[in-house]
Amino acid sequence: MTATLAVVGAGAKAIAVAAKAAELRAMGVDVPEVVSVERTAVAANWQACGGWTDGQHRLGTSPEKDVGFPYRSSLVPRRNAELDERMTRHSWQSYLIATGQFAEWIDRGRPSPAHRKWSQYLRWVAGNIGMRVIDGEVQRIAVENQRWALHANNVTVHADAVMITGPGRAERSILPGDPRVLSIAQFWERAAGNELLSAERIAVIGGGETAASMLNELFRHRVSMITVISPQVTLFTRGEGFFENTLYSDPTHWSSLTLAERRDAMLRTDRGVFSARVQEALLADDRIRHLRGRVAHAVALDDRIRLTLSTNRGSESFETVHGFDLVIDGSGADGLWFVPLLGQETRDLIELGIGAELTGDALAENIGYDLALAGVTPKLFLPGLSGLTQGPGFPNLSCLGLLSDRILGADFGTERGLAERPSSTERGLAERPSSTERGLAERPSSTERGLAERPSSTERGLAERPSSTERGLAERPSEAGVDSAHRRSDEQQPIR
């Protein structure tokens, strides 16, 4: 029986998994049917309609890190090169060639595309593979008869596994309803409408790439002073050299690091850091200031927004109050945005599986090799929280091809054979069933793949691939019908 993988969201991660599944199916390999549930549009977070950008700012990472990157598949023994070749049909360069833009892109020095252009590429891939997308907003996630049930508007999607993607809602605000406090979505809506902000003092809350892209936009607005508020001691620049980038595209040695070393690496290269490009712009603008602290409280008082900042100095905690004419809440993605959708029984199931209370740290520390929560059945894939245990490239755009390998190589509870998983000793996770217990095929060596050990799938016969009509695929909206940061965060926060 063919398993079903339901994906919440139709962004880069969902498209990458669906594209590889389509190519594997064409090769005769039994893979899950992938169906996405999307509330806005395919690749919406890279368009103005998604609320995370105005579509005009530049992608924070190289576009060559597309849905197949790094093109080192490890799912089909002796046929992985064929799979990689098939995936190149969905590459960024193939998109440019197909749309007559390749020569110009090369002549311009291979620049990073605008967010809107990146969304057009992702939509092109989704259209080519006939990606199945159900329009609707997931309102409740439950487990029914040992399968997941996604309740969205007037439809319920049942699946053997679920993958959660996306950064959550961009409408969050520390002071909802006050016109002097803008959410991420409100800010970008004004930017997309070419509405210039005018204020003496503006505060931008956040020290990551979401806040950085807002600063990049604010440079052209009529503002006397811009204060960036973040818990970091300063505005750090993101490491973007070869060695830092390798951590994201090849997490082979990530598991050998201690948790402290992993957290330090992520802090230096991903979280709470600005790209070098934004930092260069900041140097040239003397309106930018930085305040260290976390916003503990916000109130409207005397024609200003008063923010109370909490700061730790040694063993003592201090609070200071600062007034601003306009506040922009750019605190970025919420990795736990899906938790309120879980019913109490589902929460109990997850807590029983991970052996801990359902918190962000507990979830992040219990993500297994397949990017799913260890000990939880049916499978719940959380790639956005997998950076700590599996590698910092999985939560963002840095290794979408490897992400799809991990997801599609997982045990979906069907009869098809799966590759042997790395031991729990190697990953510091709960012990996994052995290959003998699961009847797994012999795993190909790392020499054959040029990689550290990866899961593999046995060669399987495949039924004829169903047409998009047979699968009831919805026609995707055209590029013209859509009006439309960061290197390391997808899908998200768009996210690098």
Side-chain angles (χ1 to χ4, degrees), residues 211-359:
S213 61
M214 290 178 167
L215 288 174
N216 204 30
E217 167 65 25
L218 281 173
F219 292 151
R220 69 183 185 90
H221 292 249
R222 296 187 294 268
V223 180
S224 298
M225 181 177 293
I226 304 171
T227 301
V228 183
I229 299 174
S230 71
Q232 292 84 13
V233 296
T234 188
L235 299 179
F236 289 105
T237 303
R238 183 171 64 209
E240 296 180 335
F242 167 77
F243 299 104
E244 294 96 332
N245 288 335
T246 300
L247 287 175
Y248 284 77
S249 58
D250 183 7
T252 301
H253 304 294
W254 186 254
S255 61
S256 65
L257 303 177
T258 66
L259 288 179
E261 289 171 332
R262 298 180 202 177
R263 289 190 172 99
D264 180 64
M266 294 173 72
L267 285 173
R268 290 174 180 268
T269 60
D270 187 32
R271 297 177 181 174
V273 292
F274 286 2
S275 68
R277 184 174 60 201
V278 171
Q279 287 282 27
E280 288 179 6
L282 294 181
L283 289 174
D285 197 318
D286 59 5
R287 297 175 298 169
I288 309 298
R289 297 290 184 272
H290 176 252
L291 270 178
R292 178 179 174 235
R294 297 183 182 274
V295 178
H297 184 63
V299 62
L301 184 66
D302 299 332
D303 296 327
R304 282 194 168 188
I305 301 298
R306 306 283 178 176
L307 300 181
T308 301
L309 303 187
S310 176
T311 307
N312 291 326
R313 299 176 184 175
S315 59
E316 299 184 23
S317 178
F318 293 86
E319 289 190 347
T320 56
V321 179
H322 306 267
F324 300 95
D325 302 307
L326 184 68
V327 174
I328 304 170
D329 188 352
S331 49
D334 177 12
L336 301 179
W337 68 267
F338 63 93
V339 172
L341 305 180
L342 305 174
Q344 188 57 53
E345 291 185 1
T346 306
R347 295 190 188 198
D348 292 343
L349 176 70
I350 293 174
E351 291 180 346
L352 181 63
I354 65 176
E357 185 179 351
L358 202 162
T359 64

